[in-house]
Amino acid sequence: MARSLYEWLWQHEFWLPPGITWEDMQESEDTHYPQPRDLLLSIPFALILVVIRCAFERAIALPLSTKLGVRDKQRPKAQPNPVLETFYSTRCKNPKEGELLSLAKQCDLPVRKVEKWFRHRRNMDRPSLSKKFSEACWRFTFYIISFFTGLAVLYDKPWLWDHRECWTGYPQQPLQPSLFWYYMLELSFYWSLVFTLPFDVKRKDFKEQIVHHAATIFLISFSYCANYIRIGTLVMVIHDASDCFLEPTKIFNYMKWKRTCDSLFMIFSAVFLISRLVIYPYTVLYNTYYYSMEIFQPFFGYYFVNVLLMILQLLHVFWSCLIIHMVYKFILQGTMEKDMRSDTEESDKDEERDKIREKEKNGITCFSNVTSNGYIQRNGSEPLDNRAHRANGHAKER
């Protein structure tokens, strides 16, 4: 059964244009084509990148964050409570009002204290500022290396300047060593992101990130197996261009360098919108959809790779909407809004709100005491309004 599945999966009708079979893709001493088994190398390379990342964050990123003044916020810890901890771990991290009342009765605590306990407990699970800084440093380092590696590899390639060259001789396009290692670098990195996904900073677009990583891995793998190497290299360079500006924007945001952060964010927004909404559709989507038809007729691989590329474009549109909204707020308010994908600490808003409510409550109490003292005589003293009248000369002295 496994053999039948294997033979069905690797039918040349799925992977190659009409009239081309796997026999036409046989290697020789001077000619090498992409082989699916090569993709297995990306798994150990990804594990190596994970090890390098851990060493980089501990030896370079964390000490650098301390020198640059990145300080983790002191968070109040939730007091040990077995009942609340069990509910938090097994059922819900953000209980509703009815659940809060039930838990308050079980623990014999005020509802406000139970609510505060869950708020502190959720904040304990949120990543620290130094962790965010270290993650941004690692990604910035990789994207810079990857982007300039891509430019160095593609600079003398004809399809970088003339996009129709992506299909010249397809699919019998020999694989060059530089393209192989560039592919392995990118694919290994995205596999490493999948491996570290449970430990990385979780943002509000976490599900979209999973879809993005899955689509990217599938796209890179399929483009390698079907020898869409040339179009794949263009996709990777375009994506790395804007990411080189995103990560330093985060870094300066964590450092509280507001003006530098705002400036980099505007540059990143321009590069992202131009590269993902203009260059990518023309260089990649139009290229694969129209130019490829000048060489061969549609087949399964043609439709499949276009679907994957369209999924990436939909994600580009989703993120572009978020970026445009942030730019709009920046233009109106003159300051950059916090990253809407970030999960802000609840203490920043709820604790402050509780303190304000407490102050307002105390202020009303004091005000009521003061005003009541103006009309109630104590120990034979005169009312405050009589004293005021006499001081102003409106009341005669008895």
Side-chain angles (χ1 to χ4, degrees):
M1 182 176 179
R3 183 177 180 82
S4 300
L5 180 62
Y6 179 84
E7 292 177 352
W8 174 84
L9 178 63
W10 293 106
Q11 295 181 68
H12 61 82
E13 292 86 358
F14 291 164
W15 300 89
L16 301 174
I20 304 294
T21 64
W22 290 117
E23 284 73 18
D24 300 319
M25 302 294 293
Q26 293 295 326
E27 294 186 332
S28 63
E29 294 183 0
D30 300 327
T31 304
H32 299 280
Y33 294 112
Q35 299 297 324
R37 62 177 179 271
D38 298 339
L39 298 176
L40 296 176
L41 293 174
S42 63
I43 302 300
F45 287 161
L47 296 177
I48 293 174
L49 281 179
V50 172
V51 174
I52 294 175
R53 172 182 174 176
C54 293
F56 174 87
E57 290 184 353
R58 289 188 179 184
I60 298 177
L62 282 177
L64 184 62
S65 67
T66 303
K67 291 184 178 180
L68 294 178
V70 178
R71 297 288 184 269
D72 292 332
K73 187 175 182 180
Q74 294 295 328
R75 299 169 177 171
K77 294 184 178 181
Q79 296 298 322
N81 190 308
V83 175
L84 300 182
E85 185 65 35
T86 302
F87 186 92
Y88 180 87
S89 303
T90 59
R91 294 188 59 185
C92 179
K93 296 183 178 181
N94 195 2
K96 298 180 180 179
E97 185 175 355
E99 294 171 328
L100 288 173
L101 291 173
S102 176
L103 290 170
K105 290 180 181 179
Q106 294 180 39
C107 300
D108 194 21
L109 293 172
V111 177
R112 178 65 64 81
K113 286 191 174 181
V114 175
E115 186 179 6
K116 183 180 291 187
W117 187 94
F118 275 94
R119 186 160 57 246
H120 290 170
R121 185 65 181 83
R122 287 192 295 270
N123 283 338
M124 288 172 60
D125 285 346
R126 287 186 169 86
S128 63
L129 201 60
S130 59
K131 177 177 175 56
K132 294 180 180 180
F133 180 91
S134 300
E135 181 179 315
C137 282
W138 164 249
R139 296 197 182 199
F140 172 64
T141 303
F142 177 84
Y143 288 134
I144 284 289
I145 294 173
S146 178
F147 178 66
F148 284 101
T149 298
L151 290 181
V153 169
L154 296 178
Y155 179 78
D156 59 345
K157 303 299 186 293
W159 63 86
L160 180 64
W161 314 105
D162 182 3
H163 305 321
R164 280 187 168 87
E165 288 292 328
C166 289
W167 312 109
T168 301
Y170 180 83
Q172 295 170 311
Q173 297 171 336
L175 176 63
Q176 301 177 19
S178 59
L179 297 178
F180 167 79
W181 288 111
Y182 181 45
Y183 248 74
M184 287 298 105
L185 177 67
E186 290 280 353
L187 183 59
S188 301
F189 175 70
Y190 282 102
W191 271 121
S192 71
L193 292 183
V194 172
F195 295 158
T196 59
L197 206 56
F199 313 103
D200 287 342
V201 176
K202 291 182 176 60
R203 304 183 186 276
K204 293 181 181 179
D205 62 345
F206 179 73
K207 294 180 180 179
E208 289 80 5
Q209 286 283 354
I210 295 177
V211 175
H212 174 268
H213 295 341
T216 303
I217 290 173
F218 277 120
L219 180 59
I220 294 176
S221 301
F222 180 81
S223 65
Y224 187 86
C225 294
N227 205 11
Y228 281 107
I229 298 291
R230 297 184 179 183
I231 200 70
T233 54
L234 295 179
V235 173
M236 293 186 291
V237 167
I238 291 172
H239 279 71
D240 290 341
S242 59
D243 291 333
C244 290
F245 292 98
L246 174 61
E247 301 306 326
T249 302
K250 296 178 184 179
I251 291 173
F252 284 109
N253 181 42
Y254 303 145
M255 292 168 55
K256 311 296 184 184
W257 289 25
K258 188 171 180 54
R259 291 186 179 180
T260 306
C261 175
D262 291 348
S263 300
L264 280 174
F265 173 74
M266 298 303 293
I267 297 174
F268 159 74
S269 301
V271 174
F272 185 94
L273 296 176
I274 293 173
S275 63
R276 306 293 179 93
L277 299 184
V278 179
I279 298 177
Y280 178 84
Y282 173 71
T283 304
V284 177
L285 294 181
Y286 187 82
N287 193 1
T288 56
Y289 192 78
Y290 289 105
Y291 288 165
S292 61
M293 292 296 94
E294 298 176 358
I295 307 299
F296 54 80
Q297 295 299 314
F299 64 106
F300 175 80
Y302 164 81
Y303 294 112
F304 188 69
V305 75
N306 276 283
V307 167
L308 291 176
L309 292 173
M310 283 303 302
I311 291 175
L312 285 182
Q313 181 61 18
L314 292 176
L315 291 171
H316 295 163
V317 173
F318 170 77
W319 284 313
S320 296
C321 291
L322 296 181
I323 292 172
I324 291 172
H325 179 74
M326 294 177 70
V327 171
Y328 177 74
K329 290 288 186 181
F330 177 81
I331 294 174
L332 288 182
Q333 300 176 359
T335 181
M336 189 182 73
E337 191 182 46
K338 287 184 178 180
D339 187 355
M340 290 179 292
R341 303 179 306 139
S342 298
D343 193 11
T344 55
E345 291 192 29
E346 295 176 75
S347 59
D348 292 338
K349 45 186 179 181
D350 296 325
E351 291 283 359
E352 297 281 338
R353 188 163 58 242
D354 290 344
K355 291 179 181 178
I356 292 174
R357 287 177 181 173
E358 201 67 32
K359 288 181 180 179
E360 289 178 349
K361 182 178 178 181
N362 294 336
I364 293 172
T365 304
C366 294
F367 179 75
S368 62
N369 290 337
V370 171
T371 53
S372 63
N373 286 338
Y375 297 97
I376 299 175
Q377 297 183 17
R378 293 182 179 179
N379 298 328
S381 60
E382 290 184 86
L384 292 178
D385 56 345
N386 288 344
R387 295 180 186 178
H389 279 298
R390 187 170 66 250
N392 293 329
H394 298 293
K396 294 182 180 180
E397 186 176 356
R398 294 181 183 180

